[in-house]
Amino acid sequence: MGRAVQRPFIGLTAATAALGMAAVLTGCGATGSGDVTLHLVAADYDVSGGQTSKVYWEQLTTAFEAEHPGIKVEVQIESWNDVDRKVAEMVEAGNAPDVAQIGAYADYAADGRLYAADQLLSVPVQSNFLVPLTDAGEYKGTQYGLPFAASTRLLFYNKELFAEAGITGTPETWDELAEDARALKDSGVRYPFALPLGPEEAQAETLMWLLSGGTGYTDAVDKYAIDSQANISAFEWLRDELVKPGLTGPVAPGELNRKDAFAAFTRGEVGMLNGHPSLMQAAEKEGVDVGKVELPGREGEAKGSMGVADWIMGFKENGHRKEIGAFFDYVFSDANVLAFARQNDLLPPTVTASEAMEKDPEHADLREFLHALPTSVLPPVGKTSWAAVSETIKKKIGKAMEPGGSVAATLSEIDGDAAEAEAAE
């Protein structure tokens, strides 16, 4: 997709009517303090180096300002490589933006720098977020992170390579997945199952397998439990049934980064891997006939699937609570949420926008992702320790797949590091 936004932006009144609600919204109306300028720092989602993110925010803020003459919005777009660091530098210098659309919120919430969601949003808007995203946006039981864009992961497979290998169905258990990978290898596929556990995004690939194996990174009371017996068993299966038999391709999983695995899939060299909507679009543009199903569990349906989200938040520093609230109520109208999701091949973070996208024939290829998101599990982004734990996973998890490596020892080492980081929260 990657096109500039051309759909009309709707105002707060129209958005509320679309939701069938007539509540008095907390953020709208005159500010009572003259003109206010909000400083927004936002991430650039245009992977092709274009201007679609800039155009999106320009159109949205122009329409917002027309309906809220007392509020101006100054937009600063930064690349994903820089945006989190630049916001951190602004905050450290005592010059926090009013609004930041970035990758993490927990540290700022822990420092008391953010407005809570119920201080900013009208009740209809706050209650419209998908439940897993609301839960992931909470720090110590209070929501500070507002989910701006979402995605989930599915098992992708190359239909042409499946047909050439004589595979007529899709895997419904881990054993069937391994059997299909063997058939793909026998037919000459370079990467029967691409398993990217390299340092780029190993924490995501790891979580997908842990969830499909029955647990995840945390236990029932939200404490790290990375070396649980279920997690050890899941990774021992990966090592013994996929890696050791040579079913993961010529690059060791600990050295294979996601971007390289995805590039190989678009070249038609990968039989199966875990992918997201943007990869689907990229592969189809290169002529790959993409199939997609949910990653199976060990004995059948997986016990959980992974979701991800990016966040938008309001900083307290300048005292612009009402103005930020008005802006957020506008940002999360169905039309604006859908425009951004459609532009970037992402999933809407709200119930009503998700329902609208699911009904849209233009986006029929996203329905499997939409179905998976409401019951997905996100990484523990509400923990201030998560950034450090995520880096530890990226650096160390690949060792579990090395010849002579110990899954139990590797997960125990990571869990020990996580416990130390958690104790320092």
Side-chain angles (χ1 to χ4, degrees):
M1 296 166 46
R3 60 187 183 278
V5 179
Q6 297 178 346
R7 299 174 185 269
F9 290 87
I10 63 174
L12 198 54
T13 302
T16 307
L19 293 173
M21 301 170 180
V24 177
L25 303 185
T26 58
C28 74
T31 67
S33 57
D35 287 350
V36 168
T37 298
L38 300 178
H39 181 200
L40 162 67
V41 180
D44 186 358
Y45 283 77
D46 196 323
V47 296
S48 65
Q51 299 291 312
T52 56
S53 293
K54 179 181 179 182
V55 170
Y56 174 82
W57 285 114
E58 284 181 348
Q59 292 188 351
L60 186 149
T61 55
T62 297
F64 170 78
E65 290 170 357
E67 295 195 15
H68 299 78
I71 310 173
K72 303 294 182 183
V73 183
E74 176 186 277
V75 180
Q76 177 180 343
I77 305 292
E78 298 288 350
S79 76
W80 269 114
N81 292 333
D82 300 324
V83 66
D84 287 278
R85 174 181 55 81
K86 290 198 173 185
V87 169
E89 290 172 352
M90 293 175 193
V91 172
E92 183 67 23
N95 189 31
D98 296 287
V99 176
Q101 188 275 297
I102 52 180
Y105 69 87
D107 284 342
Y108 301 124
D111 290 342
R113 296 182 181 275
L114 301 180
Y115 289 114
D118 60 7
Q119 293 177 293
L120 297 172
L121 300 175
S122 63
V123 172
V125 172
Q126 187 177 2
S127 63
N128 196 29
F129 293 124
L130 292 164
V131 171
L133 306 182
T134 296
D135 292 346
E138 293 182 352
Y139 172 75
K140 293 188 175 179
T142 299
Q143 185 183 3
Y144 294 95
L146 312 182
F148 180 73
S151 184
T152 189
R153 301 289 190 266
L154 294 174
L155 175 64
F156 284 21
Y157 63 97
N158 184 313
K159 291 183 179 180
E160 183 177 347
L161 296 181
F162 263 46
E164 291 173 355
I167 304 170
T168 57
T170 56
E172 296 183 359
T173 66
W174 285 3
D175 286 344
E176 289 182 5
L177 186 149
E179 181 181 345
D180 290 346
R182 285 192 292 271
L184 289 163
K185 181 182 180 182
D186 290 344
S187 69
V189 175
R190 182 172 172 81
Y191 293 89
F193 191 101
L195 184 66
L197 293 176
E200 180 194 356
E201 206 193 25
Q203 84 288 353
E205 185 73 20
T206 298
L207 181 56
M208 284 181 259
W209 285 98
L210 299 188
L211 289 171
S212 67
T215 54
Y217 286 134
T218 57
D219 60 19
V221 294
D222 202 33
K223 294 291 184 181
Y224 288 112
I226 297 170
D227 62 348
S228 70
Q229 187 54 52
N231 289 348
I232 292 171
S233 177
F235 261 65
E236 286 179 340
W237 184 92
L238 275 177
R239 180 196 62 193
D240 296 341
E241 303 299 328
L242 289 185
V243 179
K244 282 186 176 180
L247 303 181
T248 54
V251 181
E255 298 175 7
L256 182 64
N257 281 323
R258 182 191 64 164
K259 66 178 180 181
D260 298 322
F262 281 13
F265 187 79
T266 64
R267 294 194 301 267
E269 299 176 0
V270 175
M272 295 179 282
L273 52 57
N274 292 315
H276 56 51
S278 296
L279 173 61
M280 177 186 65
Q281 303 288 350
E284 289 176 347
K285 287 178 182 177
E286 295 300 320
V288 176
D289 192 0
V290 181
K292 49 193 183 299
V293 294
E294 291 194 27
L295 180 66
R298 192 159 197 163
E299 304 297 334
E301 185 177 348
K303 296 180 180 179
S305 61
M306 188 190 75
V308 294
D310 299 324
W311 307 96
I312 194 167
M313 61 211 72
F315 282 85
K316 293 179 177 179
E317 186 169 305
N318 300 316
H320 295 153
R321 181 182 66 83
K322 290 184 178 180
E323 294 83 3
I324 296 171
F327 182 63
F328 281 167
D329 276 338
Y330 192 82
V331 166
F332 286 109
S333 68
D334 279 0
N336 293 339
V337 168
L338 283 168
F340 188 84
R342 287 164 171 156
Q343 175 181 294
N344 294 285
D345 298 326
L346 293 168
L347 305 182
T350 64
V351 174
T352 52
S354 294
E355 291 172 348
M357 178 174 275
E358 186 170 357
K359 295 174 183 176
D360 187 347
E362 182 182 350
H363 297 285
D365 56 356
L366 293 177
R367 285 174 183 160
E368 291 95 336
F369 296 99
L370 289 165
H371 291 164
L373 185 59
T375 57
S376 64
V377 177
L378 277 73
V381 293
K383 290 178 173 289
T384 58
S385 59
W386 171 241
V389 174
S390 175
E391 287 303 312
T392 298
I393 296 167
K394 290 178 185 179
K395 292 176 183 177
K396 297 183 176 182
I397 193 64
K399 294 192 301 181
M401 299 293 112
E402 293 176 355
S406 168
V407 169
T410 299
L411 294 186
S412 179
E413 181 181 352
I414 294 171
D415 192 72
D417 293 341
E420 289 183 14
E422 188 170 43
E425 284 185 328

